[in-house]
Amino acid sequence: MSGSADEKERRTFDALYSLVIPVVKLLYPMRSSGRENIPDGPALVCANHSNLVDPLLVAAAFGKKNFMHFMAKLELSTVPIIGVILKSCGVYFVDRGRQDIDAIRNTMRFLKRGEKVCMFPEGTRVSEDNSVEAKTGAVRIASKMKVPIVPVYIPRRKKIFAKTEVLIGEPFLVEGKTHEEYAELADGVMERIYELRDGTAG
């Protein structure tokens, strides 16, 4: 992992990881498959999203050494205490109601620093697979920055104290120029995620 991450954010991330993730693993006994696919250096981690606990499951699956920034909805930044805690450990926010240039710039800045960023291409929590169109932001950034995308599948129907398996797929590069190409690439990211679910990846 790159040592370029803001040291204060990294220390806070480590402290919260040590405090929170054991509780998450107790509530959602989990195992992760495919950790050998996690690349060194910058990457965009793209996962499906159905539950508030999903970012914590991704963090748990990747392990403490793989510090990453999570993109979260802007509304969370104003939640008392929670918003401050999230900011302090490297979470950054996006205004989903518009094209948020600051969020895009932050993503590119983190990747340029050699760090990992987790984004949820569906753009919101979704209860059923294939029920919304994937947003193109992740593939646009990955194409421009020439960083790999790492697909991750998280079971949508999670139950407390039931086993949960997070699947990490092989990293891949994307390249596009037109809106149509980016839309197709975004759909391709979700297809890769569902291939992990179906055991047909690779």
Side-chain angles (χ1 to χ4, degrees), residues 151-172:
V152 175
Y153 181 76
I154 308 167
R156 293 204 190 267
R157 290 174 177 80
K158 295 174 281 290
K159 294 182 179 180
I160 292 179
F161 302 126
K163 290 183 179 178
T164 301
E165 184 173 22
V166 178
L167 307 173
I168 303 169
E170 294 183 3
F172 63 98

Side-chain angles (χ1 to χ4, degrees), residues 129-186:
D129 292 345
N130 296 309
S131 59
V132 299
E133 288 189 7
K135 304 293 188 288
T136 62
V139 292
R140 289 175 185 271
I141 293 170
S143 176
K144 181 175 180 64
M145 299 297 292
K146 295 181 170 53
V147 299
I149 290 175
V150 181
V152 175
Y153 181 76
I154 308 167
R156 293 204 190 267
R157 290 174 177 80
K158 295 174 281 290
K159 294 182 179 180
I160 292 179
F161 302 126
K163 290 183 179 178
T164 301
E165 184 173 22
V166 178
L167 307 173
I168 303 169
E170 294 183 3
F172 63 98
L173 294 170
V174 295
E175 184 176 354
K177 294 181 179 179
T178 68
H179 175 75
E180 290 74 19
E181 288 174 338
Y182 287 128
E184 186 174 343
L185 288 169

